[in-house]
Amino acid sequence: MKHALAFILLAVMSARADAALEPASLAPDCPLPALPASLQMDAINSGSVELVVDIGADGTPTDWLVLAYTEPRLARACTDSLPSWRFRPARIDGVAVPSQSEFTVNFTVSGVVLTSNMGDEMLLRSIRDSDDHLTVLTCSPTKLDRAPVRTAGGSPTYAAQAALLGVQGKVTVHFYIDENGTVRMPSVDPDAHPYLAKQALDAILSWKFEPPTSRRQPVLIAAEEQFKFGPVQ
């Protein structure tokens, strides 16, 4: 995924290009996991985990997905502790809103540091290139046996009144398809119109796919879908 700040629900906000956006950030007293003792016993004293987290308007994580790790025990340490993580919620013009962020959790013997990837694909690539032991869980589209096949779900709705009011545009939804064919972690860019964003997200959440496979094994993939509302060129 290319974005670290993507809003998953904007229905309470007006669509304004000059809206002030404040990304979510880790709360100062957030309890992060420690490097598991079993790793230290195996002489593994560092490692990292990449994950994407849905953050509610109250600062609590509502869903999460591990994207990569250097050691599976570190991924388990993160997912076990995630229910207790707390964030300062993202805000638009001072109003707290649900959001989604990508993070890298770096483990060392001396402590754990969580950093936002800030939507920088080059940073993600440099993190992965710098560690030959990083296991990336998302499968490249070029390695799929075939393109994902949707088996359920429909198109977004578009109210006639919205069209009459000139509410139109394009909305791109970023999401994952997991090993069961389920849509995970959908999000839209923060400049999407609130009404159109909600219709696009509702549609995506109704979708179901045949499990994506690579070499006949189910895999996790990143995907995106663009919807056009109204006479948009």
Side-chain angles (χ1 to χ4, degrees):
M1 284 291 157
K2 65 180 180 64
H3 54 290
L5 178 61
F7 292 96
I8 57 178
L9 180 60
L10 295 177
V12 298
M13 303 305 301
S14 61
R16 289 177 40 229
D18 62 343
L21 305 179
E22 180 184 345
S25 59
L26 193 68
D29 56 348
C30 177
L32 294 177
L35 185 73
S38 62
L39 289 181
Q40 298 182 53
M41 293 174 63
D42 293 339
I44 300 175
N45 297 318
S46 64
S48 62
V49 177
E50 294 176 19
L51 68 164
V52 57
V53 182
D54 280 349
I55 303 167
D58 61 355
T60 60
T62 57
D63 197 9
W64 49 84
L65 189 63
V66 174
L67 304 180
Y69 55 72
T70 55
E71 223 288 341
R73 282 172 286 182
L74 294 178
R76 286 195 297 273
C78 287
T79 55
D80 287 347
S81 67
L82 253 162
S84 65
W85 291 16
R86 293 297 178 267
F87 297 85
R88 293 191 180 101
R91 296 179 182 275
I92 299 180
D93 286 346
V95 178
V97 294
S99 64
Q100 186 182 99
S101 289
E102 290 179 358
F103 297 98
T104 296
V105 185
N106 293 302
F107 290 81
T108 66
V109 174
S110 58
V112 175
V113 177
L114 184 146
T115 57
S116 172
N117 291 333
M118 298 302 293
D120 190 338
E121 186 63 30
M122 291 299 293
L123 176 58
L124 279 173
R125 191 176 298 115
S126 67
I127 292 171
R128 294 175 179 183
D129 291 346
S130 66
D131 196 326
D132 294 335
H133 301 293
L134 189 68
T135 299
V136 179
L137 301 185
T138 52
C139 180
S140 168
T142 60
K143 295 182 179 180
L144 292 176
D145 295 332
R146 60 173 177 168
V149 176
R150 179 156 57 98
T151 59
S155 301
T157 59
Y158 184 40
Q161 184 65 23
L164 291 174
L165 293 173
V167 178
Q168 62 183 34
K170 300 177 182 178
V171 177
T172 300
V173 182
H174 312 276
F175 60 101
Y176 295 88
I177 305 172
D178 69 14
E179 296 89 341
N180 298 314
T182 302
V183 169
R184 299 288 309 280
M185 316 297 291
S187 63
V188 298
D189 295 327
D191 58 352
H193 187 283
Y195 169 75
L196 302 182
K198 186 176 187 307
Q199 306 316 307
L201 284 168
D202 286 347
I204 287 288
L205 285 169
S206 75
W207 288 10
K208 181 74 176 179
F209 293 83
E210 290 184 2
T213 59
S214 177
R215 298 182 179 181
R216 300 184 179 180
Q217 297 299 312
V219 292
L220 172 73
I221 64 170
E224 66 178 37
E225 185 77 20
Q226 186 180 81
F227 299 103
K228 296 181 180 178
F229 296 88
V232 180
Q233 300 297 321

